Amino acid sequence: STITEDTVDLQEKEFDKSASSCGCCSSCLRSHNELSDNPTTTDHIKYAFSCPPHGKIGDCLIWIVFGLACWGCLISITWEMALPGGKLFSLLLLYVMALLAGMMADYVGLPSLLGSLVMGILFSSIPGINALGHNIDIYYSSVLRNIALTIILIRAGLGLDPVALKRLSCTVLRLAFLPCLVETVTMGIASAFFLDLPWSWSLMLGFVVAAVSPAVVVPSLLRISEEGYGVDQGIPTLVIAAASIDDVLAITGFSIMLGLTFAKGALIWTILEGPAGMVLGILCGIVFAILCWYLPYKEKTNRSTYKFVIIFSLSALAIFGSHRAELESSGPILVLTLAFVAGLGWHRLGTEDPDVSANYRFMWEIFQPILFASIGAEIDIGATDPATIGWGLLALLIGVSFRIATSFVVVMGASFTAWERLFIAIAWFPKATVQAAIGSQALDHVLQHGGEDKELIRGQQVVTIAVMAILLTAPLGAVAIRYTGPRLLTKKLSAKTLGNNPEIIV
């Protein structure tokens, strides 16, 4: 580190020397704008913009140069598609705007995903700007969402720590399964009656909506646990441990219902296609996982990088290959099985690499903005049926109410007070990640396979209600957890952070 600091100082001195040779530039140098003990706002601004670039200004310049270079490459490769008005240009602009909107939401204390989602909606709804939003290529946005789904599934599978699962009490299992299933059934019945959806579509919508979002829940719980609230009772650990299981259940149920909804052929095959796809996905996932146990071999340098590449490539093959083979229910199951069994084998063989999960966390940070922005861009407020919004909102409120009530009941036998059970119920309803990842899967299938107009309308209804679920529950849940935790939970005298938590989807 000393060598690095000396190198930086030497570079700055050389820069100062070259700039000092020109009198008009000397006033812009950082060495001529050092902050005093009591700097004014003007002093801070002059120092921030002094040369050589540094701090937040330097970071912005890095990303500006990187973004312009990437855009230039796209123009060189695709020409018209990357020029203003082209499909790739619209997608790139949406990504940049989603990043900025996410930063703004995070700055005001809201989940960054909410800013990206709202930006996507505005991108398709504001007159003038929506010309770009409507120009986004459906195929490219679908591919990006499927890549994001692949990352989510891998992280969920790797996060199901077998040692932790053995220690899970019946309370955690009840919290993971029952609220999700109850909300799925309730939402399915409500949407079948209110929106006149077939049962296969309504239950598919139920699984889309039912998943809880660790992206909202986990940071909020970690924040209050660091302050000592609920730590002695194990409430943050309980909710975080159940989060990944809840998402796995919702994604698995959705995949089966998606396969049944678009199944073709004889009735007997239609009935058996979902379970058959599930069994096929599990078997192929186990085979791929065993391959990952021994490749790369133990002595291989940069082994974590090779593990990351192999698992991601096999998982992407499963997701995109299952779509091509029209076996939609098998792809997500295969990826979950692959990730879980691979992690199990690494643990048994003593070849675990924490950097693998770190790489997927980094990839999720890259793909999260475009995932939420692209599903938001599917919504054109001016073209949305008001009946879908009204009846969908009513169905959502009914489903969430049943979920909260079920969550309150299932933890009754765990020595929690009534106030603590109420907090768990409040913390167990925010939605975001899974809804954005799978909410448009049915609509994408209809668009890519030329479905009927009524199926197109149903797909748009599913997307609209998935987005409404995020907009309604993500900010409300984050705020509710933040303000009810100190009031409903008991504070530990010596606050401590959670330890040995399973990997979570964020």
Side-chain angles (χ1 to χ4, degrees):
S1 61
T2 304
I3 296 176
T4 303
E5 292 175 358
D6 292 341
T7 304
V8 172
D9 292 339
L10 181 61
Q11 291 175 347
E12 290 184 359
K13 289 178 180 178
E14 292 294 331
F15 186 89
D16 291 349
K17 185 184 298 183
S18 60
S20 297
S21 62
C22 180
C24 61
C25 297
S26 60
S27 61
C28 299
L29 297 177
R30 196 192 314 177
S31 58
H32 290 206
N33 293 278
E34 294 291 343
L35 292 177
S36 60
D37 294 335
N38 297 305
T40 63
T41 302
T42 303
D43 293 335
H44 279 292
I45 295 175
K46 289 178 63 177
Y47 182 77
F49 284 92
S50 60
C51 294
H54 60 283
K56 293 183 178 180
I57 302 299
D59 292 339
C60 290
L61 288 175
I62 291 173
W63 285 107
I64 289 174
V65 171
F66 176 73
L68 291 176
C70 291
W71 185 28
C73 290
L74 287 176
I75 293 175
S76 302
I77 296 170
T78 65
W79 190 237
E80 292 184 354
M81 292 181 66
L83 291 174
K87 296 177 179 179
L88 286 179
F89 176 82
S90 299
L91 201 58
L92 182 62
L93 180 62
L94 175 62
Y95 182 76
V96 173
M97 298 300 291
L99 272 177
L100 295 176
M103 293 178 183
M104 292 176 62
D106 186 62
Y107 181 77
V108 298
L110 293 174
S112 60
L113 57 88
L114 189 64
S116 301
L117 179 66
V118 173
M119 179 55 64
I121 297 174
L122 297 178
F123 207 73
S124 291
S125 303
I126 296 179
I129 298 179
N130 61 3
L132 293 174
H134 293 160
N135 200 34
I136 294 175
D137 189 86
I138 297 173
Y139 177 75
Y140 289 144
S141 60
S142 175
V143 168
L144 290 174
R145 283 195 295 267
N146 277 308
I147 294 175
L149 174 62
T150 302
I151 297 170
I152 291 172
L153 293 170
I154 293 173
R155 297 193 67 190
L158 292 176
L160 294 176
D161 184 3
V163 177
L165 288 176
K166 289 181 180 179
R167 297 197 308 266
L168 290 178
S169 65
C170 186
T171 303
V172 176
L173 296 178
R174 292 200 306 265
L175 184 63
F177 280 86
L178 293 180
C180 179
L181 293 176
V182 168
E183 185 176 12
T184 297
V185 174
T186 305
M187 187 70 192
I189 295 173
S191 57
F193 281 95
F194 296 155
L195 300 171
D196 197 26
L197 291 176
W199 286 109
S200 59
W201 277 89
S202 62
L203 289 175
M204 181 168 58
L205 174 60
F207 278 114
V208 169
V209 172
V212 74
S213 174
V216 178
V217 173
V218 172
S220 301
L221 285 175
L222 290 178
R223 187 180 298 112
I224 65 170
S225 68
E226 288 171 355
E227 297 173 358
Y229 294 105
V231 174
D232 285 340
Q233 296 77 19
I235 292 175
T237 303
L238 168 69
V239 177
I240 291 174
S244 291
I245 304 175
D246 176 275
D247 287 348
V248 168
L249 175 62
I251 294 173
T252 302
F254 168 80
S255 302
I256 294 174
M257 294 310 303
L258 182 68
L260 291 175
T261 301
F262 296 107
K264 298 179 181 179
L267 177 62
I268 184 65
W269 172 242
T270 300
I271 297 174
L272 295 177
E273 183 175 0
M278 186 175 179
V279 172
L280 178 63
I282 292 174
L283 293 177
C284 292
I286 293 174
V287 173
F288 287 172
I290 294 175
L291 181 66
C292 293
W293 288 357
Y294 304 103
L295 293 177
Y297 52 90
K298 192 172 183 179
E299 295 79 14
K300 181 69 176 176
T301 57
N302 298 323
R303 187 178 58 190
S304 61
T305 302
Y306 285 99
K307 284 183 177 181
F308 165 77
V309 172
I310 291 175
I311 286 188
F312 181 77
S313 58
L314 291 175
S315 299
L317 172 62
I319 293 295
F320 292 105
S322 63
H323 287 307
R324 180 63 63 181
E326 298 186 357
L327 292 172
E328 280 80 2
S329 62
S330 62
I333 303 299
L334 193 158
V335 178
L336 286 168
T337 306
L338 164 62
F340 174 68
V341 178
L344 188 67
W346 295 339
H347 178 74
R348 181 175 60 86
L349 297 172
T351 58
E352 290 178 302
D353 287 303
D355 289 342
V356 177
S357 296
N359 290 334
Y360 282 111
R361 281 196 297 273
F362 177 73
M363 280 197 71
W364 173 241
E365 293 297 326
I366 295 176
F367 279 91
Q368 175 180 293
I370 195 61
L371 170 63
F372 287 95
S374 62
I375 192 175
E378 298 280 354
I379 305 297
D380 184 348
I381 296 177
T384 303
D385 182 13
T388 299
I389 297 177
W391 290 116
L393 181 60
L394 179 59
L396 278 172
L397 292 175
I398 294 174
V400 170
S401 299
F402 271 83
R403 181 187 185 91
I404 292 176
T406 304
S407 302
F408 181 84
V409 172
V410 297
V411 293
M412 288 184 67
S415 302
F416 295 129
T417 66
W419 297 117
E420 290 167 346
R421 296 201 303 270
L422 178 60
F423 174 81
I424 293 173
I426 292 173
W428 201 232
F429 81 87
K431 310 169 188 303
T433 313
V434 174
Q435 288 71 29
I438 65 177
S440 63
Q441 293 284 314
L443 178 60
D444 291 341
H445 185 280
V446 173
L447 292 172
Q448 293 173 13
H449 293 80
E452 300 176 359
D453 290 342
K454 61 181 181 181
E455 290 183 329
L456 180 62
I457 294 174
R458 292 166 182 166
Q460 291 171 338
Q461 288 178 318
V462 172
V463 173
T464 301
I465 295 174
V467 171
M468 289 170 55
I470 300 173
L471 291 173
L472 177 67
T473 64
L476 182 62
V479 172
I481 293 173
R482 183 183 307 168
Y483 287 101
T484 61
R487 292 165 175 79
L488 300 180
L489 301 180
T490 304
K491 185 174 183 179
K492 181 179 175 60
L493 294 178
S494 177
K496 61 180 180 179
T497 57
L498 296 176
N500 301 321
N501 288 327
E503 173 68 18
I504 51 179
I505 309 172
V506 292

